[in-house]
Amino acid sequence: MKGKFIVFEGIDGSGKTTQINQLSKWLISTNLIPENNQLVITREPGGTELGKSIRSLLLDTSKTKSPDSITELLLYAADRSQHVNEIIRPTLNKGDWIISDRFCGSTLAYQGYGRKLDIKLIKDLENIATQGIYPDITFLLDIPVEESIKRRINRKEDRIEKEGREFLSNVSLGFQALSEDSKWKKISAINSKENIISEIQSEIKKLIKNK
Ligand code: TMP
């Protein structure tokens, strides 16, 4: 793959959107992306037209019946497969860069550690959906569960956010475990915005240097 693939992960309310916006502004202003290439911002679930429909099936709270855990897992995998084939692989092949708000780490954390589904099953589906495409770097924006709940107090919750404190604590433990991987960088998201931004920028500079 010629381009770079950057992912942001974290529990709900960790500030991914803000940091993705900041990073994209900085990348565009610094010419770190080769002149003829572009930056694509995307997300899971919902990075494609089909994915938008899957997102609403997954997160809509108006339905009387929720999908069961395996159905939920398969819907996230379907969203990812379409996302990889329609957006991620073609973009990287052109040498363009991608920032994705969530990727495989979210499934391991939410469906693996949160729902307690079998990790091997999740990884098998991950292999099918990604066909070997993995991020160059994943940032975990780390906030305590209590802070996540506090930050979202006046926000309308989606179906997953409604799961409550214990579920979120398990998801958070999952993210902690995943962030031990060398391609993950854990950033404390309760630091000042300036500190978070500069930590992210310095990791991106390292990534380019070590390519
Ligand atoms: P968002 O609010 O960050 O857009 O994410 C949507 C919700 O979907 C969020 O609560 C996390 C959840 N999610 C999973 O449970 N599994 C996954 O694989 C992904 C990508 C997201």
Side-chain angles (χ1 to χ4, degrees), residues 11 88 104 107 131 177 195 208:
I11 56 174
I88 299 178
C104 297
T107 315
Q131 299 287 308
N195 280 356
I208 296 167

Side-chain angles (χ1 to χ4, degrees), residues 9-13 16-17 43-45 55 58-59 72-73 76-77 79-80 101-111 115 155 158-161 167:
E9 297 278 12
I11 56 174
D12 309 279
K16 290 181 281 94
T17 312
R43 70 162 165 183
E44 287 193 3
R55 183 179 173 93
L58 278 162
L59 300 178
E72 180 182 280
L73 173 67
Y76 280 112
D79 170 74
R80 180 157 308 128
D101 185 339
R102 301 193 183 281
F103 195 57
C104 297
S106 280
T107 315
L108 284 164
Y110 283 83
Q111 280 64 51
R115 297 266 187 248
R155 270 198 237 165
D158 66 36
R159 194 181 56 81
I160 302 273
E161 286 165 347
F167 177 82

